[in-house]
Amino acid sequence: MTNRTAYTNARLLDPATGLDALGTLLTEGAKVADFGPGLFADGVPEGIQVVDCAGACLAPGLVDLRAQVGEPGFEHNETIATASRSAAAGGITAVAVLPNTDPVIDDVSGLEFIARRARETKLVKVFAYGALTKETAGKELTEMGLLSEAGAVGFTDGTCAVADALLLRRALSYATVWGKPIMQHPAEPRLSGGVMNAGEIASRLGLSGSPAMAEVIMLERDMRLVEMTGGRYHAAHISTAESVEVIRRAKAKGLRVTCDTAPPYFALTEQDVGEYRTFFKLDPPLRTEMDRRAIVEGLADGTIDAIASDHTPHDQDEKRVPFAQAAFGAVGFETLLPLVLELHHKGALPLLAALDKVTKVPADILGLPALGRLAKGGPADLVVFDLDRPWKVDGDRLASKSKNTCFDKRPVQGMVLRTVVDGRTVHTRASA
Amino acid sequence: MPTPAPTFVHPHDLEGRAHAFPHRHLLGIEGLTAPEINLVLDLADTYVAQNRSQERKSRALNGKTVVNLFFENSTRTRTSFELAAKRLGADAINMSVDGSSVKKGETLIDTAMTLNAMHLDVLVVRHQESGAPKLLADKVNCAVINAGDGQHEHPTQALLDALTIRQRKGKLKGLTVAICGDVLHSRVARSNIHLLNIMGATVRVVAPPTLLPAAVDRMGVEVHHTMATGLRDADIVMMLRVQSERMQGQFLPSQREYFRFYGLDRDKLGLAKPDALIMHPGPMNRGVEIDSLVADDIHRSLILQQVELGVAVRMACLDLLTRGRN
C-alpha cells in the first residue's frame, strides 16, 4: 500500500476547472487520487495520514515560467539547491530556468547537468529552456531538435534579445517542427542600452534611459515575423502600456502569441528607484504608473497570459555598487504568490483568474499539461496557503541565497503554509 | 501648515548654529531651499574677502581632515577643494584613482569603509558614475561633498556660478539664464537648473535635441533648439563643454557644424542683452562651443572669476558641513 495523505478542510482551488469549494484532497504516492467537497465526508478512514488544512486554500503548485538559478557558473549567487528551497518556500513546484548560465545551456549536456542537479536536490521540478542561439550570441541557431528530445521546454536567449530578424524568422519556422515556443526578451538592443526607464527621473538622476519604445518596436517587428512564419511566440516580461496593446492586436489577429509579465511590473514603478536603489534595477526597467496600470488591465482582460517570478539572484557585490554598474534583476520566488494574491485582494482579478496565471497557463505554455491543475491521477504538486494572512516581506529571511528582493518591507497578504511535490512535503511553515 | 518665511541669517551670527545648514552632506542642489543656498553664498562672500586679503588663512577647520577622493581626472576642482581646505587650516589629502586600491579590484564600499576607519571629517568625492557619492555617504560617518558624479550633479559648481552671478548682477531672482550646449551629459547643467529654479531665475536650455535629456522640459526649463531664440534677451549665457568622452555613438554630425549653430561667438552673443555675461565651467573647447574672442573678453566673460569664487564657495561648504561636529 503506497503512502496516502488526506488534506482535509481545504478550500480546493483549481483554475483549470473553476473549482472553488471546501473539501478534501487525497494523494496516493506521487499522485492525486481523488478530491472534492464530498470526499471523506464521514471521516477519513484509518491508514490514511491526515493533514488538516483548517480552511486554508489548496491549489495546484505554482509553475514558474522563467527564473535564473545561478547554476552552472554563478553559484555565488544561487545554486539549484538554494533556488529549489526558495521556490518551495514560495509555493512553486515547477520552475523553468533560463539558459543564461556559464556555460550557456546550448547543448544536450547542459540540459542533462541541470536535470541531474535537480534530481540530486529533489525538491521542486526543474525544467530548462535551451538557448535559441549558440552562446546566446544571436548568430547561430542551436540544435533545437536534439535539445527538444533532451527535454528543453522552449527556446530563448533569455536575458538577451534576439535582434537579427532573419535568424528569428528561421527559428520561429523551424521550432514549429518540435512544437516548442520561442521566448523573446523584447528589447531593441540599440535603443535599450540604458540602466533605467528613460524619462524625467532618469534625467534627474543622471542615469542613461531605456525608452519604452525599445520594447514596443521589437514586439511590433516580432509580430510581423510570427505572422509570416506561423511560429509560436512568447513575449517575456512585458512592461509597457503599448506592449500590452501590441499583444492585444496580435491576439485579435489570431497569431499564436502569448506573453507574461512579472510582479515588479504590476506592483512597482520607476519612482521606486528613489535615490539609486539598485535592488530596483531590473531589465526591462520599472516603468511609469501609466504603464503599471496598463499591465494590470492586460492581466485582467487576459491579454497578458501568465505571471513569471523572473527570479534573478545577485549577491551584494553585484548590487552594492553605483547604479549604472549594478547587475539587473531581483529574486522573485518567495514573493510571487503574495504579489499575485495582491491583484486579487485589490480587486483587479478574481482569485481563480489570478492563480490561473501562475498555474495552468504557464504549464500549458511550457507544454506540461499535467502540471498546474488538480486532476485525478495527476502529479500531487500542491500548495496550501492562507489567503488572508498579512505579513511583511523581509529580504534577510528569504530562503534564496541572494537577498536582492525589490519587495523588502512590503506588507503583503497571503502566506504559503505547505508545498507538496509528487506527494512529498518539501516546505512547511511551522506556525500554521 | 504655512512654512515660515525665510529669514536672512548673517554668517557671523552662525557660530554654534550648525542647524542653520541642516544637511549632513552636500550631494546635490536638488532638495536644498533658497535660504540654505543664500546661507552658503553669504558665507562664501566673506571668504572671497578673506582670500583677497593678506591674511588668507583662517582656523575654522583646524585639526579637521579633508580627503579629496577623485575617481575621475580633475585639475581645477581638486585644486580648488584642496586650497579651500588648507585656507581653513584643515589637513587636506588627495587620493586619485591611480595608485589607489580601486584599481586592484577594491569596491567603492570597501574604499569607503577603509577611509571611514581613519576618522575623516569631510570626504570630497568625484566619480564617473551618477549616485556614487550617495552610496559612499550611506556608509561613512563623515560629511560627503559631491564634487561631480557622472551626469547627475556638481553642486559646488552651481553654487560658485550663483555667487559669480550674484556678485555681478546683485541678484539671481528674475534673471534669464541660457544654459547652452551638451546638457545631456552635463552634471553642471543639472545642478544649475535646480539652483536657478530654486532662486527664482528663468532658466532656458539651448541645444540640439540629441544633446538634451529626456523630459528636460519637466525640470523647470524653457527648451530652445536654436541660439537665435535661446539667447534672446538673456542676462547670462552659460556655455557647457561638449563632452565627447562621454558620448557613445554619434550625437552630432561634426564639430564644425556644431560650432556654426551652437558655438558662442560675437554674433550670437549679440542676441542676448547688451550687458549679458558669459560663463563656462571649464575646461573649454575653444572653437567648438566657444570662440576665443568671446571667452577672453574681460568685459563679458566671467570664466576666471568663476574659478576665483570657486575656492570661496568650497570654503563655505566645508565650513558649514563641519560646524558643530566633532
Side-chain angles (χ1 to χ4, degrees):
Chain A
M1 193 79 195
T2 46
N3 181 29
R4 293 198 294 172
T5 306
Y7 296 85
T8 62
N9 296 317
R11 182 176 170 188
L12 301 170
L13 296 169
D14 183 24
T17 57
L19 172 70
D20 180 356
L22 207 62
T24 297
L25 181 140
L26 177 69
T27 64
E28 195 170 322
K31 306 282 184 205
V32 172
D34 201 357
F35 62 92
L39 184 65
F40 303 139
D42 302 327
V44 180
E46 268 192 40
I48 297 178
Q49 198 191 332
V50 174
V51 174
D52 185 352
C53 295
C57 297
L58 189 156
L62 274 50
V63 178
D64 189 3
L65 256 183
R66 191 177 51 258
Q68 295 186 68
V69 294
E71 205 173 347
F74 306 99
E75 288 84 355
H76 56 288
N77 290 332
E78 191 90 286
T79 63
I80 288 178
T82 61
S84 298
R85 277 199 290 280
S86 175
I92 296 164
T93 55
V95 176
V97 301
L98 294 180
N100 307 91
T101 47
D102 183 16
V104 169
I105 307 299
D106 57 5
D107 63 10
V108 170
S109 65
L111 286 174
E112 285 174 348
F113 172 81
I114 301 269
R116 177 167 64 76
R117 296 290 290 121
R119 257 195 328 273
E120 287 165 5
T121 304
K122 211 182 165 198
L123 284 171
V124 302
K125 295 172 181 174
V126 180
F127 299 91
Y129 292 93
L132 182 68
T133 66
K134 288 183 183 162
E135 301 280 339
T136 64
K139 301 255 186 270
E140 206 182 331
L141 290 178
T142 55
E143 294 166 323
M144 293 163 73
L146 294 174
L147 288 163
S148 294
E149 261 186 4
V153 287
F155 296 94
T156 180
D157 278 355
T159 55
C160 309
V162 179
D164 183 332
L166 177 61
L167 185 111
L168 186 63
R169 174 189 165 189
R170 299 248 164 86
L172 282 163
S173 301
Y174 189 68
T176 56
V177 180
W178 319 102
K180 301 291 179 193
I182 301 291
M183 183 166 78
Q184 171 76 297
H185 167 74
E188 162 52 45
R190 295 287 290 163
L191 292 176
S192 65
V195 298
M196 74 171 290
N197 189 43
E200 186 189 349
I201 296 177
S203 292
R204 279 178 188 272
L205 292 173
L207 294 172
S208 55
S210 268
M213 282 308 129
E215 180 171 312
V216 180
I217 285 169
M218 180 148 279
L219 276 176
E220 287 194 319
R221 180 204 73 171
D222 287 0
M223 291 308 105
R224 298 293 173 181
L225 292 173
V226 173
E227 196 171 2
M228 196 173 168
T229 56
R232 193 172 141 213
Y233 177 95
H234 179 84
H237 41 219
I238 66 168
S239 66
T240 84
E242 292 261 14
S243 304
V244 178
E245 200 42 52
V246 172
I247 300 288
R248 196 174 278 138
R249 281 201 302 270
K251 286 185 166 182
K253 249 185 186 175
L255 302 184
R256 292 208 298 166
V257 169
T258 51
C259 72
D260 70 74
T261 192
Y265 306 111
F266 62 74
L268 302 171
T269 68
E270 59 178 354
Q271 299 274 358
D272 290 293
V273 171
E275 282 186 281
Y276 306 101
R277 295 160 77 191
T278 56
F279 280 17
F280 295 81
K281 182 178 174 184
L282 308 176
D283 184 20
L286 292 170
R287 307 285 187 188
T288 66
E289 174 63 11
M290 211 189 71
D291 292 307
R292 191 196 67 79
R293 286 174 190 217
I295 296 293
V296 173
E297 224 167 85
L299 284 164
D301 72 14
T303 303
I304 303 176
D305 303 87
I307 300 168
S309 76
D310 248 350
H311 185 80
T312 309
H314 287 294
D315 69 5
Q316 298 259 329
D317 286 355
E318 291 169 1
K319 284 290 192 181
R320 298 258 186 249
V321 291
F323 196 89
Q325 294 170 359
F328 290 99
V331 292
F333 285 149
E334 290 159 79
T335 45
L336 177 61
L337 182 62
L339 268 302
V340 167
L341 293 177
E342 190 178 283
L343 290 169
H344 160 66
H345 289 304
K346 286 188 167 171
L349 265 81
L351 179 57
L352 284 178
L355 287 175
D356 199 28
K357 312 249 182 229
V358 285
T359 54
K360 173 185 164 287
V361 175
D364 288 346
I365 290 169
L366 294 169
L368 303 166
L371 303 186
R373 64 206 78 203
L374 299 180
K376 284 182 198 177
D381 295 351
L382 309 166
V383 57
V384 180
F385 62 92
D386 183 330
L387 178 60
D388 296 314
R389 186 172 328 167
W391 58 291
K392 221 175 215 185
V393 178
D394 180 352
D396 293 335
R397 295 184 59 185
L398 296 177
S400 171
K401 190 172 176 195
S402 290
K403 315 295 183 190
N404 56 311
T405 174
C406 49
F407 294 110
D408 195 31
K409 307 285 183 289
R410 188 183 183 94
V412 290
Q413 215 182 338
M415 182 183 278
V416 174
L417 304 177
R418 179 184 288 263
T419 309
V420 177
V421 175
D422 283 337
R424 286 185 316 122
T425 295
V426 294
H427 168 82
T428 53
R429 183 159 184 106
S431 55
Chain B
M1 231 178 28
T3 39
T7 47
F8 176 78
V9 182
H10 194 275
H12 295 300
D13 300 338
L14 287 172
E15 298 302 330
R17 289 185 53 197
H19 61 275
F21 190 76
H23 301 280
R24 187 172 163 63
H25 309 290
L26 180 63
L27 301 178
I29 298 294
E30 197 174 13
L32 297 185
T33 62
E36 288 161 11
I37 289 165
N38 276 324
L39 182 65
V40 178
L41 300 184
D42 293 346
L43 183 58
D45 269 333
T46 68
Y47 283 125
V48 173
Q50 177 183 319
N51 287 339
R52 286 174 184 167
S53 72
Q54 290 297 314
E55 197 49 58
R56 294 195 188 97
K57 247 181 133 162
S58 63
R59 302 166 50 86
L61 263 71
N62 251 10
K64 306 271 187 195
T65 309
V66 176
V67 169
N68 291 323
L69 180 59
F70 277 60
F71 293 90
E72 246 183 10
N73 285 335
S74 159
T75 313
R76 69 185 66 209
T77 305
R78 205 200 58 207
T79 311
S80 181
F81 268 108
E82 186 181 357
L83 211 50
K86 287 183 168 162
R87 291 224 171 123
L88 292 170
D91 297 316
I93 292 158
N94 291 323
M95 281 183 63
S96 57
V97 72
D98 296 319
S100 86
S101 32
V102 175
K103 284 231 165 130
K104 298 173 199 153
E106 188 176 75
T107 68
L108 190 58
I109 288 188
D110 290 338
T111 308
M113 297 319 285
T114 306
L115 289 170
N116 197 44
M118 298 182 198
H119 303 292
L120 315 180
D121 297 288
V122 184
L123 187 59
V124 178
V125 184
R126 167 166 290 190
H127 199 282
Q128 61 276 15
E129 297 291 2
S130 303
K134 160 77 178 154
L135 187 65
L136 285 169
D138 288 344
K139 295 284 162 190
V140 297
N141 298 323
C142 62
V144 174
I145 296 178
N146 179 3
D149 63 329
Q151 303 169 15
H152 175 224
E153 284 226 40
H154 190 354
T156 56
Q157 177 73 42
L159 288 163
L160 75 88
D161 288 345
L163 186 67
T164 310
I165 298 171
R166 207 177 75 163
Q167 287 204 349
R168 287 293 285 261
K169 294 283 183 189
K171 60 175 183 180
L172 291 163
K173 198 180 168 106
L175 296 179
T176 297
V177 182
I179 302 178
C180 309
D182 188 359
V183 179
L184 178 65
H185 297 100
S186 176
R187 53 197 176 211
V188 174
R190 282 172 181 74
S191 286
N192 267 313
I193 289 170
H194 294 312
L195 187 143
L196 293 165
N197 266 305
I198 294 165
M199 302 310 285
T202 300
V203 188
R204 297 178 186 162
V205 291
V206 190
T210 49
L211 291 183
L212 288 172
V216 69
D217 53 311
R218 290 165 71 167
M219 294 173 73
V221 298
E222 289 173 19
V223 179
H224 293 267
H225 298 311
T226 64
M227 296 288 264
T229 62
L231 294 198
R232 187 170 300 143
D233 298 327
D235 296 287
I236 302 288
V237 180
M238 207 177 258
M239 298 307 296
L240 299 171
R241 190 168 62 86
V242 176
Q243 303 195 47
S244 314
E245 74 281 3
R246 288 185 195 274
M247 294 186 183
Q248 291 169 348
Q250 203 179 6
F251 289 80
L252 300 167
S254 73
Q255 283 196 351
R256 67 174 183 188
E257 175 156 314
Y258 183 77
F259 184 70
R260 165 78 175 73
F261 292 102
Y262 297 98
L264 187 68
D265 54 21
R266 285 208 181 280
D267 287 346
K268 296 197 192 84
L269 185 60
L271 300 162
K273 283 192 181 154
D275 60 348
L277 298 169
I278 304 153
M279 304 177 78
H280 192 298
M284 287 181 280
N285 298 312
R286 289 168 185 267
V288 180
E289 73 262 354
I290 193 160
D291 189 278
S292 285
L293 278 176
V294 178
D296 300 333
D297 179 344
I298 51 163
H299 302 294
R300 306 294 292 275
S301 170
L302 301 178
I303 294 167
L304 291 176
Q305 197 178 351
Q306 286 173 275
V307 177
E308 182 200 356
L309 300 196
V311 179
V313 157
R314 285 164 183 134
M315 288 166 81
C317 293
L318 288 169
D319 186 353
L320 287 172
L321 288 174
T322 51
R323 262 182 212 198
R325 280 171 190 274
N326 289 305

